[in-house]
Amino acid sequence: MSNYKNKIRSFGMLLAGLAASMFFLTSCGKEEKPGVVYYDVDYITVGFSQVGAESDWRVANTEDIKNSLSRYNGIDLIFDDAQQKQDKQILAIRKFIQQEVNYIVLAPVTEKGWDTVLKEANEAGIPVIVVDRKVDVKDDSLFKAWVGSDFSRESEIACLWLKEYADKKRVQAGDINIVDIQGTLGATAQIGRTSGLESAARKYGWNILASVPADYAQSKAEEVMTDLLRKYPEVNVVYCENDNEALGTIDAIEKAGRKVGTDITKGEILIISFDATHAGLSRVLEKKIALDVECNPLQGETIRDLIKTVDSGEEFPKYTYVEEKAFSADETVSSIELSGDKYEITLLTEEILEERQY
């Protein structure tokens, strides 16, 4: 009987030890995902200054970067929303420097005005990775690398598609009357997309009736387009520099009693857009957006891998472009010739839309 009690006592002590061990382990970690415990490790600390939340694209971009730059992936992220204000981004970067982060990730509001604060980060020994929009600085060593989209190429795809579309529909170049709903002036995407359209219009003989910024916002685009329809009733193509602007443009056209569609030979107003968000592509399926050129917001994994490559001392590219597609509402143009190569235009289907991540 005494031997039995001794066994019970030993078993109880074992359970108590295990319980204490479990308490110690779980109390040392931070649970960020269900069922996953994070123990004390040397995280890479990253300060991320995001432009804001002006569009569906930006929201998807923020969430993807947050998910990739997480403690689960060995990174302690400090996030700051600049609310579309460059001065707030500059303050955020200076705060990151004071916090002695290991890396700074910057999605800049505009290209200019970064030399001084990036020099401060450089002098503090903190590498800066620029994402999405670019920075226009005198010394490009002030930022370690850049990750994003080729906005000029996106514009070239859209304009080549419009040229092929017009040719196949037998629409004369001089009969194409375009209004450009621009993004935030000075942003890399706006510069690339606007200049691409202007170059194509000069080359092909299209008429650009007006170019007006709407800051990538749906409500502002609706206001802008409402005014443009009164001034330019002859408009038959609207070049929207993101999907939210396209949504606002559609609302304005329909409220004015006009029809959006894929065939300007039938009096419809053809809309070209950029981003290929779920909301934008839904309008492609409805044939209210004729072409939507993707601007891929899923950049987080690329940024994370780049940070870890830099951290390990390995070689890395200065510029990294993410992969993107273009989606059409019909089969009028199935491909274009881009830089000497055949570029496929994807006919959007419900199945493709359902598989999209954003």
Side-chain angles (χ1 to χ4, degrees), residues 198-267:
E198 291 172 346
S199 296
R202 288 193 297 269
K203 181 177 180 180
Y204 301 128
W206 301 334
N207 305 310
I208 297 180
L209 304 174
S211 298
V212 183
D215 298 330
Y216 300 117
Q218 183 170 337
S219 58
K220 188 169 182 179
E222 183 177 350
E223 293 175 6
V224 167
M225 192 63 203
T226 298
D227 183 56
L228 290 173
L229 284 169
R230 286 194 288 262
K231 292 180 179 178
Y232 306 102
E234 69 272 30
V235 59
N236 52 20
V237 175
V238 185
Y239 181 92
C240 298
E241 296 192 10
N242 86 331
D243 280 346
N244 286 83
E245 290 181 340
L247 299 180
T249 295
I250 291 169
D251 290 341
I253 292 171
E254 292 182 337
K255 287 178 182 179
R258 303 283 296 276
K259 185 176 181 181
V260 294
T262 60
D263 198 343
I264 60 178
T265 62
K266 296 179 180 178

Side-chain angles (χ1 to χ4, degrees), residues 13-190:
M13 293 175 66
L14 176 61
L15 288 176
L18 287 171
S21 298
M22 290 299 294
F23 174 80
F24 173 78
L25 288 173
T26 55
S27 64
C28 286
K30 177 182 178 181
E31 191 167 349
E32 293 192 348
K33 288 190 175 184
V36 179
V37 178
Y38 300 82
Y39 306 105
D40 288 336
V41 296
D42 291 328
Y43 292 111
I44 298 172
T45 305
V46 177
F48 173 33
S49 175
Q50 177 61 289
V51 172
E54 78 284 358
S55 63
D56 294 345
W57 187 96
R58 186 66 57 190
V59 172
N61 178 249
T62 297
E63 289 306 307
D64 185 64
I65 294 175
K66 281 183 175 181
N67 289 336
S68 296
L69 305 188
S70 64
R71 285 198 168 195
Y72 179 74
N73 291 312
I75 295 173
D76 190 11
L77 181 67
I78 304 171
F79 176 76
D80 183 85
D81 183 338
Q83 299 176 341
Q84 302 291 317
K85 297 177 181 177
Q86 186 179 33
D87 57 345
K88 284 179 65 66
Q89 290 199 292
I90 291 173
L91 287 173
I93 291 172
R94 286 180 172 145
K95 187 174 181 180
F96 293 153
I97 294 171
Q98 292 173 354
Q99 293 171 310
E100 298 182 341
V101 300
N102 301 121
Y103 292 86
I104 291 172
V105 174
L106 168 65
V109 175
T110 59
E111 290 194 353
K112 296 183 181 296
W114 299 104
D115 294 79
T116 300
V117 73
L118 293 190
K119 185 177 180 181
E120 292 171 17
N122 189 263
E123 290 174 347
I126 302 173
V128 176
I129 295 175
V130 180
V131 300
D132 181 31
R133 304 169 184 178
K134 293 181 179 179
V135 293
D136 183 2
V137 291
K138 294 179 181 178
D139 180 5
D140 66 5
S141 69
L142 293 180
F143 66 95
K144 185 66 68 173
W146 172 89
V147 174
S149 299
D150 190 336
F151 303 113
S152 296
R153 185 172 184 267
E154 290 173 1
S155 178
E156 186 178 4
I157 290 168
C159 293
L160 285 170
W161 178 90
L162 180 58
K163 171 65 167 60
E164 288 295 314
Y165 172 87
D167 288 347
K168 291 193 174 185
K169 292 291 185 178
R170 297 183 181 179
V171 178
Q172 297 298 312
D175 292 332
I176 296 178
N177 301 312
I178 306 170
V179 295
D180 179 11
I181 309 297
Q182 299 170 299
T184 302
L185 295 181
T188 308
Q190 178 274 314

